[in-house]
Amino acid sequence: MAKKKDVLKRQFKRHKKVGKAPGTITYMGHREAAETKVTIIEYTDSLHKIHYPGDVGQIVAHKDTPTTSWVNIVGLSDESFIEKVGFHFGLNPLILEDIVNTQQRPKIDEYEDYIFGTFRMVYINDNNELIGEHVAMVLMQNCVLVFQELDYDVFNGVRDRISAKSGRIRTKDTDYLFFALLDSIIDNYFVVLEHISHKIETLEDELYENPTPEVARNIQQLKKEVLKIRQWIFPVKELVGRLIDSENPLISKDTKFFLRDALDHSYEINESLQIYREMAMSLMEMYMSNMSNKMNEVMKVLTIMSSIFIPLTFIAGIYGMNFAHMPELHWKYGYFLIWGIMIVVFIGMVFFFKKKNWL
Amino acid sequence: MAKKKDVLKRQFKRHKKVGKAPGTITYMGHREAAETKVTIIEYTDSLHKIHYPGDVGQIVAHKDTPTTSWVNIVGLSDESFIEKVGFHFGLNPLILEDIVNTQQRPKIDEYEDYIFGTFRMVYINDNNELIGEHVAMVLMQNCVLVFQELDYDVFNGVRDRISAKSGRIRTKDTDYLFFALLDSIIDNYFVVLEHISHKIETLEDELYENPTPEVARNIQQLKKEVLKIRQWIFPVKELVGRLIDSENPLISKDTKFFLRDALDHSYEINESLQIYREMAMSLMEMYMSNMSNKMNEVMKVLTIMSSIFIPLTFIAGIYGMNFAHMPELHWKYGYFLIWGIMIVVFIGMVFFFKKKNWL
Amino acid sequence: MAKKKDVLKRQFKRHKKVGKAPGTITYMGHREAAETKVTIIEYTDSLHKIHYPGDVGQIVAHKDTPTTSWVNIVGLSDESFIEKVGFHFGLNPLILEDIVNTQQRPKIDEYEDYIFGTFRMVYINDNNELIGEHVAMVLMQNCVLVFQELDYDVFNGVRDRISAKSGRIRTKDTDYLFFALLDSIIDNYFVVLEHISHKIETLEDELYENPTPEVARNIQQLKKEVLKIRQWIFPVKELVGRLIDSENPLISKDTKFFLRDALDHSYEINESLQIYREMAMSLMEMYMSNMSNKMNEVMKVLTIMSSIFIPLTFIAGIYGMNFAHMPELHWKYGYFLIWGIMIVVFIGMVFFFKKKNWL
Amino acid sequence: MAKKKDVLKRQFKRHKKVGKAPGTITYMGHREAAETKVTIIEYTDSLHKIHYPGDVGQIVAHKDTPTTSWVNIVGLSDESFIEKVGFHFGLNPLILEDIVNTQQRPKIDEYEDYIFGTFRMVYINDNNELIGEHVAMVLMQNCVLVFQELDYDVFNGVRDRISAKSGRIRTKDTDYLFFALLDSIIDNYFVVLEHISHKIETLEDELYENPTPEVARNIQQLKKEVLKIRQWIFPVKELVGRLIDSENPLISKDTKFFLRDALDHSYEINESLQIYREMAMSLMEMYMSNMSNKMNEVMKVLTIMSSIFIPLTFIAGIYGMNFAHMPELHWKYGYFLIWGIMIVVFIGMVFFFKKKNWL
Amino acid sequence: MAKKKDVLKRQFKRHKKVGKAPGTITYMGHREAAETKVTIIEYTDSLHKIHYPGDVGQIVAHKDTPTTSWVNIVGLSDESFIEKVGFHFGLNPLILEDIVNTQQRPKIDEYEDYIFGTFRMVYINDNNELIGEHVAMVLMQNCVLVFQELDYDVFNGVRDRISAKSGRIRTKDTDYLFFALLDSIIDNYFVVLEHISHKIETLEDELYENPTPEVARNIQQLKKEVLKIRQWIFPVKELVGRLIDSENPLISKDTKFFLRDALDHSYEINESLQIYREMAMSLMEMYMSNMSNKMNEVMKVLTIMSSIFIPLTFIAGIYGMNFAHMPELHWKYGYFLIWGIMIVVFIGMVFFFKKKNWL
């Protein structure tokens, strides 16, 4: 329950903004989140440095260096800091608004000298809950700005590849870094899909063994998660497609090649989600059918017990009557005869139910 | 119930118009609504005045002033007044018809020297009912005409920003005002979505606790509301898109940038509504599954009680028979033996049902 | 039932035509319909005459007069008459076939010097049945030919506006007349939608009060009506759209403006039908859920009665046994003690069911 | 059952072909079908001859005559004969493969000097079963080749029109013959639709009167038939549309006019099938709801009988007890008093159930 | 169960790759699979040789020979081997990644001097399980590289045609070989469809005879298989379509003709899958309806038995009472009279149920 409410609640901080002017920079997330932390990874083919800048000036210095700089900003609750960064990097106020709007729908906007994108980074947290984290990224000539709400390790793989010079990342330009970050966001969806797939399997097994209302509730929860992820990933394939078709010089032809791969992956994720959605609906159907089965079983026990013993009780009732003249009562073997009749009736009923396959 | 009927009734004043010529100005709303009230907010970067014009002449005077004027007309039941305003502002009669037609589907029509649009302003009223208010807006060179049926405060945020010089509204042109109004209409949809989201949560909780027919009815009501809002917001994304693509000089390139933001929001609203629709359908399914659970529980109680006591009653019935020769009746401990047998049967049945997990 | 069969039967006179050559003029309607009646309304801004022509010659005379003529032909069973009219007005035989084919799907075909269209005129007849009447219209330079199967009053509004000089119809050209007729056909759909909306409301109320099989049947009937109307209105929006985009000189730019209004209306009708379709499906779901409720209630009564009285009967059965040695039978207050026990059991059961919320 | 299996079986002779080279001419139908019969109808405006050619040479002779020749080949099991015909008429081997592939999906392929099409001819056979017959047609300059698996009379109407000179077929070119044949195939779909419509009506009536499992099975069967026909007719509208847009000189502008009519019909068939599909789903829903009704009725009888007689039996049980001290037993009118009490209980219960509307 | 889990498990080895750089060659399949086996079939019109190359050099030698070479590599677990082959044939690392990624979604990528495609080869294995095997193919000027995970015989038909010189394969170029392989993959889908069709039939029969929970589970399993195959085949029609539209000189116009045939087949497979999906959903509905039928039957037995014997038992209970004054008890024929009454009640009930059609 906790999870569900949380997911829904997060979506609707939105109304805080109603009535404010567009372009107003209003943080939508959990204000109580930790303070803003900035890390800068600067690299070229031969160079690799990590900076922990003390003020905005030290950050902005990386804007125009010829090296590739990855400015990673974690924690978005300090609106004035974000505004300062944005101002110095020459970002449009509308973009700043989208950066701190943690409910922003995934989007990519191309500007003259930078490309801006927001995405949902999904992961399963330690409480086994599905989390959709807001990430904003800005690709400029020589640096990539990344804005994250929380410090989750989705980008660690990229960090490792940079420091270890593995793969081609160190030999490539800034746009490849942008792609690599986007790619690790998309790759992470596969982990969540696996989680969902596993959940479907588990629920299906529980369904057959013990279809409790709890199982129905979990299926319902599963459906919501699938809907949620679909909403987050659905726009991505169009966005990446637009980036590939774009003629913006910031994205090299070479990087587009890699983007096409990311595009393929978002198609695949969408198709899998579609399948999971259908499976979740099937699970509910299976649940209902198993409920019906259980009910059938209950009714059969009732019917068999009643059908066998009600006639027998009637027979016993007959000879419990107190009529003055009931000849059978005085037969010597009347009692045993009646037992015989009752046993025959009993066996007859059992046969009848056997034949009907109810026993 | 009151709400539901109201929503449907409002939609179908329409037939009043059947047979009338197109372009006939026929008010479709509640005639009993209050009288027409006109307010004009006039502003430039340095100026800010509010006028309460006494007659049409004073209104029309604002058409050609170089300042930006927001002419706000509340109450549409006075058809001749609307007609006069329309005539002096040079509006097409078809537009006047759409202004007073409170059932008009959202639309945007571009004319040579003005742009006309009608929208649905949604809000939750004090009785917790969903209301969809008809709003018509005309963007001209130097003024925006707004026609509202009732005086609801959706536009107060814009009024405040104008008077407080907050945001960029005072430094921008008339087309930005038009956008700002449209934007606050769209923003208000998020409030209603939040209301719906909350309703879904509440219904889901009630569903698990106590699935009364009342809950089913509320789910049904919820579905209708979602359908209704979808009908109202659905055309908006296409309309805004057309405005962005239009080459009309009334809309500056700068404002289009903001419109793109509004477009994003309408997409987001549509996607959320789609999700709510699926959730509402799921709720009904959950309701049915909980009903089945309850039924199962009822049947189990019946089956257990019957299965235990019917055989026992039969045994008692046997020894209530009046046969002359029933040896057991005369055994010294016959009565206690029978009690023993009955207790054994009872315990056997209880074990049987325990094993079946019905107890 | 009568209605349903009728609707379906009407659709499938079609097979009468199978094997005939395309262009064969075969009347598809009720041959028993009244004889053909022709009325001609001729008007200009200053002139207004109604003619009841005696023969085809008098009709054709109106083809080339500079006035606007509305030739209204009611009754399509006289194929040779239709053929003669078609020949003199220079109509393509394929068109004549479509005119008398009362099952024709709505269509608009543009020819060099005329535009041909067929539509479904819907109304609710006196038996509260949904009727879809076939109408064919031909727009020529100076006259509009209208072919109707039955004389229903959908066009009376247009007649009145012509005779009363109300609206702009008398000052406009022939194409405006064509539009006005099409517009009144489309407007009439709103009346039927209102009827459907009312039916949905009524059924919903009945559903909660008394979900009889009759109600289910009416929901089923409603679904069919919605499907039927959707089939009739669905092509219209595309047809009107094509007319607006067409470059045919018969349709003036001015009239296209009005057609755009008609287009808006057909979109609105389609959207409403979509909503009604979903509502009708919801009604069936509600019906099923109410049935389940009723069943639950029935089962609860059974379970409560059985669970209370079966154990009590068992107790009574015990002391109806005839064992020689049953000490309790001889206790002085044994009988009253047993009554006490039974009352305790009774109260216990009532509490149990109260706690389960079944009472 | 026989039918269902047949329909499915027919579809999957397909795997016979797996592993064979594309272009291999493999007959997919019932090898046991009758031998190949060839009829040639040759006509011009003034001429009309029917030939029964003895060998392939006599057939091919008609390829280049200036008259219009309709070569009708019934029976496709003789692959070498088909191959010979194909070779002499200059047909691509891929086409020959499609001709004998009786599971071929409807398609139209344009080649330089001929147009090839395959379709499904549907009809209801004498056992009331839905049959989808494979037909292949080749339009050449002066002749139309028709390949049918079985000799069904769908084309008799065309034959009659040619011999009787009715309609315009004798005055038109070869492409009109091609159209006329296609048109009669499409027209025949209406007959099948009528059959389906009738079946829906019948099932609906049965549903209300006596919802046996047999009815459910028939609904299931109906659904499959609708799916089947939809699969067969669905591609046709696109194919005909492509033919209309094609610039192939084999199809005259005049004939395209008629094709547009055929296109309208395929749209109409598709829409009707969509409606039938929804109706079939509704039927199943109605079936389930009627089942629930029946169940409700059964449960009410059980509940009423049990609720009335179980308490009465309990009362009788009380006074069947053998306590030594039971004062009531010795009252003079005790027996009649108890009868009175039981009658009061009985009437009370009846009233209770009347009030609940269960009686 | 084993199957289901397997299918799902296979899909999600994926997460092994998360965090790795794009282009990293990571085998996704069962590492325990057999070692890599390479076979090369080299042929021209007049030549046909089979090579079993010992090292990569012998393989690469075939790259530039003027003959057509089909390099078939079975077993993808040896990543370094694949990498070496890729390097020598000049393949992009991204492609190598896709080759060993056995979960790759079907795709076709065109490069300057080769075309790369991956597909799912489906078959039913010996345990009657649906298997989707990953296949990657590279079309180069003079050779086709095929990468398979397991050695399944889908391509045997092509091998036979090459060795037997049957069909046109020996006279055609390398692109025809590529098509022939793709064609045999697609043809194999028909075998699986037949399997599914057969399964639907079988399940339907079982459904009517004995609707056990096992049947419901099999229907569920069937649904998943249909979803799975749809996911695998769905992209193919778009890919083949793109290949047909491509202007790559590697694909001759002639081969495109054959590809169009393959395109037709993928459409047909998609349509059939759609139908099977609807049928599978219908099966579940039928299952539920049969469950309801069974329940109805059970309830009828219970109701009939209870309704008949409960009143009779009551009558017997009456005359088992011990009132001192019960005149009937002393009537001479009282006992027989009561028997008479009970028989009348019994017959009356039987009639009642007969009339209700419950017996």
Side-chain angles (χ1 to χ4, degrees), chain B residues 1 4-5 8-9 11-15 17-23 92-94 97-98 103-105 107 109 111 210-213 216-217 220 223-224 227-228 230-231 234-235 277 284 287-288 291 294-295 297-299 301-302 305-306 309-310 312-313 315-316 319-322 328-332 334-336 338-339 342, chain C residues 157-158 161 166-168 176 179-180 183-184 187-188 190-191 193-194 197 200-201 204-205 208 257-258 260-261 264-265 267-268 271-272 274-276 278-279 282-283 285-286 288-290 292-293 295-296 299-300 302-303 306-308 310-311 313-314 317-328 349 352-353 356-358:
Chain B
M1 280 307 292
K4 180 202 57 166
K5 283 188 177 161
L8 290 173
K9 220 183 290 159
Q11 173 153 26
F12 279 111
K13 296 259 170 72
R14 190 91 200 204
H15 75 283
K17 289 199 57 175
V18 169
K20 293 200 181 171
N92 188 315
L94 277 178
E97 187 189 353
D98 290 342
Q103 272 76 53
Q104 178 58 44
R105 182 176 178 262
K107 70 189 273 182
D109 279 343
Y111 290 77
N210 192 13
T212 59
R217 203 159 184 165
Q220 177 77 345
K223 273 188 194 171
K224 279 197 217 158
L227 285 174
K228 219 67 207 137
R230 202 169 52 152
Q231 196 185 18
F234 185 77
R277 193 172 146 259
M284 200 66 210
Y287 177 78
M288 291 303 279
M291 290 287 297
K294 294 271 159 190
M295 178 90 88
E297 213 187 321
V298 171
M299 295 314 296
V301 168
L302 174 59
M305 293 304 282
S306 301
F309 286 103
I310 287 178
L312 297 184
T313 302
I315 294 171
Y319 296 100
M321 291 195 292
N322 298 318
E328 301 95 319
L329 292 182
H330 303 287
W331 295 351
K332 197 168 179 191
Y335 176 56
F336 303 102
I338 281 302
W339 261 117
M342 291 198 293
Chain C
V158 182
R161 271 146 57 197
S166 84
R168 44 178 96 69
Y176 186 85
F179 153 73
D183 190 58
S184 48
D187 263 12
N188 224 47
F190 286 105
V191 180
L193 289 191
E194 186 168 10
S197 160
I200 290 176
E201 264 182 72
E204 195 173 353
D205 287 351
Y208 292 114
F257 212 90
F258 289 101
R260 204 158 289 136
D261 221 59
D264 268 4
H265 291 173
Y267 271 104
E268 193 178 340
E271 285 168 11
S272 295
Q274 189 55 28
I275 287 187
Y276 292 155
E278 295 205 16
M279 280 187 185
S282 280
L283 282 185
E285 253 180 36
M286 283 306 292
M288 290 304 277
S289 104
N290 279 21
S292 272
N293 271 322
M295 179 89 89
N296 248 349
M299 295 314 295
K300 274 183 194 165
L302 174 60
T303 300
S306 300
S307 299
I308 289 175
I310 287 178
T313 303
F314 163 68
I318 290 288
Y319 296 100
M321 291 195 293
N322 300 317
F323 281 100
H325 305 283
M326 289 178 67
E328 301 96 318
M349 294 307 279
F352 173 76
F353 290 121
K356 273 193 172 300
N357 237 331
W358 294 2

Side-chain angles (χ1 to χ4, degrees), chain D residues 125-148:
Chain D
N125 74 3
D126 298 342
N127 299 332
N128 217 16
E129 296 167 359
L130 172 70
I131 304 295
E133 201 62 66
H134 169 74
V135 186
M137 306 200 301
V138 183
L139 167 63
M140 307 183 98
Q141 188 63 42
N142 287 314
C143 71
V144 172
L145 305 181
V146 174
F147 298 86
Q148 281 180 271

Side-chain angles (χ1 to χ4, degrees), chain B residues 75-285:
Chain B
L76 306 176
S77 61
D78 184 352
E79 290 143 3
S80 74
F81 173 75
I82 302 292
E83 200 164 5
K84 246 186 291 174
V85 170
F87 178 79
H88 283 99
F89 277 90
L91 304 179
N92 188 315
L94 277 178
I95 275 186
L96 298 180
E97 187 189 353
D98 290 342
I99 286 172
V100 297
N101 176 359
T102 55
Q103 272 76 53
Q104 178 58 44
R105 182 176 178 262
K107 70 189 273 182
I108 288 184
D109 279 343
E110 292 181 44
Y111 290 77
E112 226 164 304
D113 46 2
Y114 55 92
I115 292 176
F116 169 72
T118 72
F119 304 95
R120 282 270 145 190
M121 194 162 89
V122 298
Y123 56 91
I124 307 297
N125 75 3
D126 298 341
N127 298 333
N128 216 16
E129 296 167 0
L130 171 71
I131 304 294
E133 202 61 67
H134 169 74
V135 187
M137 306 200 302
V138 184
L139 166 64
M140 307 183 98
Q141 187 62 42
N142 288 313
C143 71
V144 173
L145 304 181
V146 175
F147 299 86
Q148 281 181 271
E149 198 182 1
L150 294 177
D151 194 4
Y152 185 70
D153 65 349
V154 156
F155 294 145
N156 278 352
V158 182
R159 270 183 211 103
D160 293 350
R161 271 146 57 198
I162 292 174
S163 70
K165 279 193 89 162
S166 84
R168 44 179 96 69
I169 194 159
R170 286 280 284 278
T171 65
K172 296 266 178 183
D173 264 340
T174 314
D175 58 340
Y176 186 86
L177 173 61
F178 185 80
F179 154 73
L181 295 171
L182 177 52
D183 191 58
S184 49
I185 291 172
I186 292 175
D187 263 13
N188 224 47
Y189 275 94
F190 286 105
V191 180
V192 174
L193 289 191
E194 186 168 10
H195 167 82
I196 300 244
S197 160
H198 177 72
K199 219 166 168 177
I200 289 176
E201 263 182 72
T202 313
L203 281 172
E204 195 173 352
D205 287 350
E206 282 177 19
L207 204 64
Y208 291 113
E209 278 156 30
N210 192 13
T212 59
E214 193 55 31
V215 173
R217 203 159 184 165
N218 286 336
I219 296 172
Q220 177 77 345
Q221 187 55 33
L222 176 78
K223 273 188 194 171
K224 279 197 217 158
E225 286 184 15
V226 171
L227 285 174
K228 219 67 207 137
I229 303 176
R230 202 169 52 152
Q231 196 185 18
W232 291 334
I233 189 71
F234 185 77
V236 171
K237 65 174 193 290
E238 196 215 324
L239 298 175
V240 174
R242 236 158 57 198
L243 220 50
I244 291 170
D245 294 342
S246 133
E247 300 187 346
N248 199 311
L250 281 169
I251 309 257
S252 70
K253 213 187 132 189
D254 200 51
T255 297
K256 281 184 188 175
F257 212 91
F258 290 100
L259 281 172
R260 205 158 289 137
D261 221 59
L263 185 61
D264 268 5
H265 291 174
S266 24
Y267 271 105
E268 193 177 339
I269 294 166
N270 269 298
E271 284 169 11
S272 295
L273 282 172
Q274 189 56 29
I275 286 187
Y276 292 155
R277 193 172 146 259
E278 295 205 16
M279 279 186 185
M281 291 192 302
S282 279
L283 282 185
M284 200 66 210
E285 253 181 36

Side-chain angles (χ1 to χ4, degrees), chain A residues 154 157-158 161 166-168 176 179-180 183-184 187-191 193-194 197 200-201 204-205 207-208 257-258 260-261 264-265 267-268 271-272 274-276 278-279 281-283 285-286 288-290 292-296 299-300 302-303 306-308 310-311 313-315 317-328 349 352-353 356-358, chain E residues 1 4-5 8-9 11-15 17-23 92-94 97-98 101 103-105 107 109-111 210-213 216-217 220-221 223-224 227-228 230-231 234-235 277 281 284 287-288 291 294-295 297-299 301-302 305-306 309-310 312-313 315-317 319-322 328-336 338-339 342:
Chain A
V154 156
V158 182
R161 271 147 56 198
S166 85
R168 46 178 95 67
Y176 186 86
F179 152 74
D183 191 58
S184 50
D187 263 13
N188 224 46
Y189 276 94
F190 285 104
V191 181
L193 288 192
E194 186 168 12
S197 159
I200 288 176
E201 264 182 74
E204 195 174 353
D205 287 352
L207 204 64
Y208 291 113
F257 212 90
F258 290 100
R260 205 157 289 136
D261 221 59
D264 268 6
H265 291 173
Y267 271 104
E268 193 178 340
E271 284 168 12
S272 294
Q274 189 55 30
I275 286 188
Y276 292 154
E278 295 205 16
M279 279 187 186
M281 291 193 302
S282 280
L283 282 185
E285 252 181 36
M286 282 308 291
M288 290 303 278
S289 104
N290 279 20
S292 273
N293 271 322
K294 294 271 160 191
M295 179 88 89
N296 249 349
M299 295 313 295
K300 274 182 195 166
L302 174 59
T303 300
S306 301
S307 300
I308 289 175
I310 288 179
T313 302
F314 163 67
I315 293 171
I318 290 286
Y319 296 100
M321 291 195 293
N322 299 317
F323 282 98
H325 306 284
M326 290 178 67
E328 301 96 317
M349 293 308 278
F352 174 75
F353 290 122
K356 273 193 172 304
N357 236 331
W358 295 2
Chain E
M1 276 308 291
K4 181 200 55 162
K5 282 187 178 161
L8 290 173
K9 220 182 291 158
Q11 173 153 25
F12 279 112
K13 297 259 170 73
R14 191 92 200 202
H15 75 283
K17 290 200 57 174
V18 168
K20 294 202 180 169
N92 190 315
L94 277 179
E97 188 190 353
D98 291 342
N101 176 358
Q103 272 76 53
Q104 177 60 44
R105 181 176 179 263
K107 70 189 271 182
D109 279 343
E110 291 181 46
Y111 290 77
N210 192 13
T212 60
R217 205 160 183 165
Q220 178 76 344
Q221 188 55 34
K223 274 188 193 170
K224 278 196 219 159
L227 285 174
K228 220 67 206 136
R230 202 169 53 151
Q231 196 184 17
F234 185 77
R277 192 171 146 259
M281 290 194 301
M284 200 65 210
Y287 178 78
M288 290 303 278
M291 290 287 298
K294 294 271 161 190
M295 179 88 89
E297 212 187 323
V298 171
M299 295 313 295
V301 169
L302 174 60
M305 292 305 283
S306 300
F309 286 104
I310 287 178
L312 297 184
T313 302
I315 294 172
Y319 295 100
M321 291 196 293
N322 298 317
E328 301 96 318
L329 293 184
H330 304 287
W331 295 353
K332 196 167 179 191
Y333 298 108
Y335 176 54
F336 303 101
I338 282 302
W339 262 117
M342 292 197 292

